[in-house]
Amino acid sequence: FDDAFDGDLGDSLEGVEPAFEAGTPPPSTPDVASGASFGRPENVDAILDMLHRERLFEPPGESPAATAWAAKKESKAAGTRVGVPLIVAWVLAIGLAVGGFFGWQAWVANQDAEAAALIAEARERALRGTHQALVDAERMLRQARELSPQGDEGPTVLLFVHTQRALEDGAFEPGFLQPTVERAAQAGMTGARVDIAHAVIAFTRGDAETGEAKLAAALASGGDDPTVRYAAGRLGQRLARDDASEHLEAALEREPALASAAIALAEGLADAGQPSEALARIEAVLARHEGHLRATLWKALLEADDAEPGPALAAIEAQEGLDHGAPADKVLHALTRARLLRRLGRTEEATAAIQAAASAGATEPRLQALTATAAQAVGDLARAQQAAMAAVAGAPAIAEYRKLLAEILVARRDGVRALRTLAHLSADDPEVLALSARAALIVGSEDTLTATAEALASYLEGEPDPSVEMRALRIRVGVRLGDAGRMLDAARRLSRDAPGDPEAGMAVAEAALEARDARLAIEALERVTTAAPNDAEGHYLLGRARRMGGDAEGAEAALQRTLELQPGHGDAQIMLGYLLLDAGKFEEADALYQTIGARVGQSGSGRSFAAAGRLGRIEALVGLGRVADAKVQAESLREADRSAASTKLVLARLALADGRPGEAVQLLRPMATAEEVGADVIALYGDALYAAGETLAAAETFERAMAIDAAHPEALIGYATSLVRGEKYREAGEILTRAATALERRIRPPALRARMLALRGRVGLERGSRDAALRDLRAATEIAGAPAEAWFYLGEALAGRSSPDARAAYEGYLERAPNGPLAARARRAIR
């Protein structure tokens, strides 16, 4: 209390202290350490009196009237009055709450209305179906979801938008569709559009079982939904189903504004070879959706073969909207440009356009097939094969893509792969049978040809009016099976029935080639290449025929034309290499065989490019006199290649050039003594026997070769050499006359002619025809690669006439063969 009353109440306690002094002081209790009365006892009466004066205490017994509480109405309120403000606040709060509720309701209604408008606009854009329209629709649906998160219609439309993107962008990739389907599942959404979206995803991933189940569920519950029928039809096209068009027609009937369904129908009509009907569908889309990018591009492509190329090219190059187009749009644009550029003769630009189409990022099988066809048209068969293989991989059930790939493989002379590709298709299809026959002709194996001949015979028996192509293929297969005589008669009949038909001409040519009737083959093939100037196979066979006929320049021109039309024609490259070797153009042959050897794989007839290139180089290097380099190439041959007959022939020639005739005899004997063998092998075996000192055996071998081919130059010259060795000069002279005639008709290296002239000059010397001998020997020494003996016998012919010239001739021999069998005589002659 000291602290409490130390202020204003301190004065009212004056005089209290004496009262405390008069009484007995109570025990002292420690107080707080402050105040003026610290330690003094309290005067209770004085305190009570003070409290009474201050009206803080009412003593007992005092009149109630004096101490009664004032009436409520008489009392004055103390403090702040809060009742009314509270009431007002509550009223205002309730009013604001009610107003806020109705305002919120109005705001929500406005948001829903905006969302509904966006969804409606997105639906319209989805029906338009261009890539830009679908992107815009997706953006609008995202805004609608932000405005009205609880709406169900937006996600349903979004499923349709993303399903279209998966089916129409050109990649058949569910990148956008997958998360949309997952969100639908999280939200508990079900229904036909969810099922069809699941089906699209399943088929893109190769899960056909799940795809079939989801597709069936979608059609069962949403058969009246045009978006579901559209997606089912698009999937049906990819899966090669007969009901694809039915679904697309149903979708378009229920929703005529669904552009993607109409364009899908147009694409199907184009695939079926009905371009005018396809164009009508496209024009209907453009009438409803003005400026529709995909429809505009399809219209340009469908009209590219008939429109004026210059203006059409200018129009397609000025096409707008490609920056906002899908990969599929860019492919169509590039392919249209390529077609128009090709019509204008701008092949390189057309090829570049096709490359742009291939790199546009569209993997959809139809687009890949279109790219393959375009690349095939400009001769880019490598790119064509790549695109066709992608089309087959993406849609293995579509037979047309397999046939396209097989056609390209046949054009590339890859018969083995072509037959593998066609093995999945029915041979009852005439196109499949024809392609299989062409592939079998390339492969050339007896089993394949026999099976093909049986299939063609069965087809022709059941066909009342067979095509020229099928009859020609049957003849060509029969020729390859060894029935050339009968087939040649059949080919001539076919040529009379179908004059000017390239297929009939090819049949006649192949039969004539097999019968070694070069003149008839050349006549037929010249007609073929005139009628079909861009037929690489015709030019290839013409090159073979001219080579057989001894026309080296004509053969080379035909083979070069083949490679211009089809740069990757492996058999034409190898045949050109043979021709260059025949003609003695060893440097050109070496360069060509290096190119061939760098290729990977095999030629259409099954020859390994690596092996063919190495063997060709060995022969070219031997012809150039670079035997050591040729031996290096031979050492690099694989063991698997050494067992081939063609390899043994080349190695035997190398052994002879290297002075190892015994090794050549060992390599050639098994082949040369076989029952079925050609004159080339026997003649080379005779050369090896002669070089090994087996003169009589060599002569018999040459006679055997001439019995097979009476005009074989190497056999004739070899036999004449044996006769000269036996000093039978008259008989040798007769044989050499035949050899000279044969060399005029056959393509052989100039060195072989030099050998013939040198031998004939020696015979002339022995028979006393010095002037004729001198002419022959001079001519021989003027030819690169002439034998060293030509200079020795030239010296013999000049001896006694012109000593300086004779001396020069002997020296020429010694320079070329310092240790030769005639070296001692040459040295004695110039002493």
Side-chain angles (χ1 to χ4, degrees), residues 403-608:
K403 288 190 278 187
L404 173 61
L405 175 58
E407 182 181 345
I408 294 167
L409 290 169
V410 167
R412 299 195 75 186
R413 298 189 61 78
D414 192 344
V416 174
R417 286 189 181 181
L419 288 173
R420 288 175 185 167
T421 301
L422 295 167
H424 300 274
L425 303 179
S426 171
D428 294 335
D429 184 343
E431 292 183 7
V432 173
L433 180 56
L435 285 168
S436 297
R438 294 183 188 280
L441 287 170
I442 295 169
V443 174
S445 67
E446 185 174 355
D447 292 344
T448 303
L449 290 170
T450 301
T452 302
E454 293 174 356
L456 286 168
S458 176
Y459 171 82
L460 292 171
E461 287 175 5
E463 186 67 29
D465 187 21
S467 66
V468 173
E469 179 188 21
M470 289 301 193
R471 292 172 62 189
L473 288 171
R474 177 65 185 90
I475 292 169
R476 294 174 65 185
V477 171
V479 168
R480 296 292 185 89
L481 287 171
D483 195 5
R486 189 167 65 89
M487 291 296 126
L488 181 56
D489 292 337
R492 283 172 167 157
R493 289 194 300 272
L494 178 60
S495 183
R496 287 193 297 269
D497 293 343
D501 191 296
E503 294 288 348
M506 292 285 282
V508 171
E510 289 217 23
L513 282 171
E514 192 67 22
R516 301 198 68 79
D517 188 342
R519 182 190 57 79
L520 178 59
I522 290 170
E523 290 176 356
L525 288 165
E526 285 178 343
R527 290 194 297 270
V528 168
T529 53
T530 299
N534 294 325
D535 183 358
E537 192 65 14
H539 287 283
Y540 167 65
L541 291 177
L542 180 58
R544 284 182 54 194
R546 285 177 172 167
R547 179 186 178 220
M548 183 183 291
D551 181 4
E553 292 183 2
E556 185 173 351
L559 293 172
Q560 292 286 11
R561 177 59 179 159
T562 303
L563 294 172
E564 287 175 11
L565 292 169
Q566 189 177 327
H569 198 303
D571 287 325
Q573 283 184 315
I574 294 172
M575 182 62 64
L576 180 58
Y578 292 158
L579 179 64
L580 293 173
L581 291 173
D582 289 347
K585 298 181 179 181
F586 298 118
E587 290 186 0
E588 294 180 42
D590 186 38
L592 176 61
Y593 278 117
Q594 288 184 56
T595 301
I596 293 172
R599 293 186 60 176
V600 177
Q602 297 179 335
S603 69
S605 54
R607 282 173 283 191
S608 164

Side-chain angles (χ1 to χ4, degrees), residues 598-659:
R599 293 186 60 176
V600 177
Q602 297 179 335
S603 69
S605 54
R607 282 173 283 191
S608 164
F609 287 124
R614 199 170 297 280
L615 292 174
R617 287 208 69 198
I618 293 172
E619 294 208 65
L621 291 168
V622 167
L624 290 169
R626 296 164 54 186
V627 176
D629 291 340
K631 290 169 68 176
V632 171
Q633 293 296 320
E635 291 168 0
S636 301
L637 285 168
R638 297 186 310 165
E639 287 300 322
D641 294 328
R642 290 179 179 274
S643 60
S646 59
T647 304
K648 291 179 179 180
L649 285 173
V650 173
L651 293 178
R653 292 191 182 98
L654 174 60
L656 283 173
D658 195 36

